[in-house]
Amino acid sequence: MHTLSKVPETEIRERIARFQSMLQEKETDGALITQNIDLYYLTGTMQNGVLYVPQKGEPCFYVKKSVTRAEFETVLPVQPLGRLRELGGKIESAFGPVKRLGLEWDVLPYGLAQRYIGLFPGAEPVDISFDLRLQRAVKSEYELRQMRQAASHVKEIVESLPRLIREGKTELELSAEIEYTLRLKGSIGLFRMRGYNQELCLGMVASGSAAATPTYFDGPAGGLGAQLASPQGASAKPIKANEPILVDIATTVEGYLIDQTRLAVIGDLDDDLKQAYKVAVSIIREAEEMGKPGVSWKSLYLRSLEMAKEAGLAEHFMGFGPDQAKFLGHGVGLEMDELPVLAKGFDQPLQEGMVIAIEPKFTFPGRGVVGIENTYLVTKNGLESLTTAPEDIIHIPE
């Protein structure tokens, strides 16, 4: 049907096996998977349908559209969805009674969840969302290959910034040039987020006061944006000399994201901004030292708070004042906001194979944002940076 790369069969089989082991541990008869990214992760296709994964045995993907393409792209059995009200009967006829039904409670709308539960009278709903996200947090070699390739693409962008950035060019113009280059390399141009009402386009290419404009986006910096309908990211503001230019960008290969931030300036920055950048770098170095398997997710964040306070920059850390983000880093993969989350309340340990974007940043209202971000792989020996672009501030002559 087409020549697009497929997810290897061994990859899908391994994912299903791990997921079924979790269902067995939770004594759950099966799970209905409906969210696009979870469907893609477990089937290798993103056609419109519902995947039923039994505790044991072969799953079945019930597809509304396109059955033909789903049959070509996934190694799992595919059947036409037909009438939704008949789905429960189909599943119980094929797999037996469903007494405990796993659902993605974190993303499934209430009304739709009620409809699915109603397909299995008397069944007890079980939230499997965190368990599936935790499984997805540990990346395979196949997934890491895609992410390493994506990292090479953003490195090329950083290396081209001295040529792309000039005084008077708008943030939107710079962002568009970056996006154009990445699209030609195959980026899908979508940066998916699981969080409710969270959206992202490229990342954040912003300068000076526009970069420091507070916004709804749950990150350390949001940017002014081009319009109120999307109040984040690049704006029509011209880039000026001697102000920080934050280039926080992502790209995808086969749907897998990489996330990286670098800092540039035309001319030079004020001494206090340069010092804040040094503190950001020292925080990320400390996280590299701490980030070993078994260390709690929250401990890296708590240590970063201590370092920001010791530097006299606590009020500026990860946003300013009441608009501060309450984390240091986040998992990345098929979504931008995966597990682990480096924040208070997360006592879970880092595991080998997890991938985390760590992004210490400082916001100075009216002046700009300075900081750095790398995407790391958790190895048995600690953190390995997948993003390899130079970290020094990029100085561009006036």
Side-chain angles (χ1 to χ4, degrees):
M1 171 177 275
H2 60 67
T3 58
L4 297 177
S5 298
K6 294 183 182 181
V7 181
E9 178 174 354
T10 53
E11 189 77 10
I12 298 300
R13 298 294 183 193
E14 171 62 21
R15 294 173 184 179
I16 292 293
R18 290 169 61 198
F19 186 62
Q20 288 179 318
S21 293
M22 178 273 295
L23 293 178
Q24 292 165 22
E25 290 175 6
K26 295 176 77 73
E27 297 181 339
T28 302
D29 297 297
L32 279 182
I33 304 299
T34 65
Q35 192 243 21
N36 268 359
I37 297 302
D38 290 340
L39 282 173
Y40 179 68
Y41 176 79
L42 289 172
T43 69
T45 185
M46 204 179 285
Q47 299 307 302
N48 184 7
V50 178
L51 173 68
Y52 182 74
V53 183
Q55 190 184 95
K56 295 180 181 179
E58 186 85 309
C60 187
F61 189 23
Y62 297 92
V63 176
K64 180 178 180 180
K65 185 177 184 292
S66 156
V67 173
T68 303
R69 184 159 178 174
E71 289 175 332
F72 180 77
E73 293 175 344
T74 185
V75 298
L76 302 180
V78 173
Q79 289 188 24
L81 177 61
R83 296 178 178 178
L84 183 60
R85 65 174 177 266
E86 298 174 357
L87 180 60
K90 285 183 182 178
I91 289 173
E92 292 198 312
S93 176
F95 299 98
V98 177
K99 298 179 180 179
R100 284 170 56 85
L101 178 68
L103 294 168
E104 306 148 298
W105 278 121
D106 66 328
V107 290
L108 193 59
Y110 179 80
L112 194 53
Q114 290 299 107
R115 290 186 68 188
Y116 287 139
I117 294 169
L119 297 175
F120 304 90
E124 176 189 353
V126 177
D127 184 9
I128 51 83
S129 54
F130 190 86
D131 301 272
L132 179 53
R133 293 180 67 200
L134 197 58
Q135 173 179 327
R136 284 179 42 198
V138 177
K139 304 300 189 286
S140 67
E141 285 303 318
Y142 164 79
E143 293 174 297
L144 291 172
R145 282 198 300 273
Q146 317 314 315
M147 300 182 81
R148 292 182 194 278
Q149 184 63 41
S152 72
H153 293 171
V154 293
K155 180 181 180 181
E156 291 175 19
I157 293 296
V158 170
E159 292 171 343
S160 71
L161 289 177
R163 174 177 56 83
L164 295 178
I165 294 174
R166 67 173 185 274
E167 191 171 1
K169 178 181 284 189
T170 68
E171 295 171 354
L172 281 170
E173 288 173 325
L174 176 59
S175 178
E177 289 179 323
I178 293 171
E179 290 180 72
Y180 177 75
T181 301
L182 292 174
R183 285 287 279 153
L184 290 182
K185 291 182 177 294
S187 174
I188 59 176
L190 292 174
F191 306 98
R192 296 182 168 108
M193 299 194 69
R194 201 174 186 92
Y196 183 65
N197 278 348
Q198 293 295 298
E199 301 172 324
L200 193 63
C201 178
L202 180 66
M204 177 182 162
V205 178
S207 60
S209 59
T213 305
T215 190
Y216 80 100
F217 183 72
D218 190 16
L224 176 60
Q227 50 189 278
L228 292 184
S230 182
Q232 63 175 8
S235 74
K237 173 191 171 298
I239 296 170
K240 300 177 182 178
N242 306 316
E243 64 178 8
I245 306 165
L246 198 72
V247 182
D248 182 348
I249 57 174
T251 193
T252 60
V253 171
E254 301 299 335
Y256 285 89
L257 288 153
I258 205 77
D259 199 6
Q260 176 184 269
T261 300
R262 294 297 185 262
L263 188 66
V265 62
I266 300 170
D268 202 4
L269 294 175
D270 292 340
D271 288 344
D272 63 331
L273 297 183
K274 287 190 283 189
Q275 178 59 30
Y277 182 75
K278 290 180 181 178
V279 175
V281 172
S282 70
I283 289 173
I284 213 168
R285 293 286 92 84
E286 180 75 2
E288 289 173 353
E289 289 294 318
M290 293 179 63
K292 294 178 172 61
V295 173
S296 68
W297 303 355
K298 70 178 182 182
S299 62
L300 279 75
Y301 175 61
L302 295 176
R303 176 58 182 143
S304 72
L305 293 178
E306 291 175 356
M307 294 180 71
K309 184 177 181 179
E310 290 166 0
L313 292 169
E315 191 176 22
H316 299 267
F317 186 51
M318 304 300 282
F320 182 77
D323 293 305
Q324 289 174 304
K326 305 300 183 182
F327 68 92
L328 176 66
H330 53 90
V332 291
L334 291 169
E335 293 170 316
M336 185 63 80
D337 52 350
E338 295 194 358
L339 299 178
V341 181
L342 307 185
K344 291 181 180 179
F346 289 92
D347 298 315
Q348 296 85 351
L350 291 175
Q351 298 178 43
E352 188 175 349
M354 286 180 166
V355 174
I356 323 166
I358 299 178
E359 51 176 329
K361 292 169 183 164
F362 294 96
T363 295
F364 296 84
R367 301 174 68 197
V369 180
V370 299
I372 187 171
E373 180 178 26
N374 285 321
T375 298
Y376 295 94
L377 169 66
V378 180
T379 74
K380 63 181 180 181
N381 298 317
L383 298 184
E384 172 197 338
S385 185
L386 301 179
T387 43
T388 58
E391 296 181 351
D392 292 340
I393 298 173
I394 301 166
H395 288 272
I396 299 157
E398 292 188 59

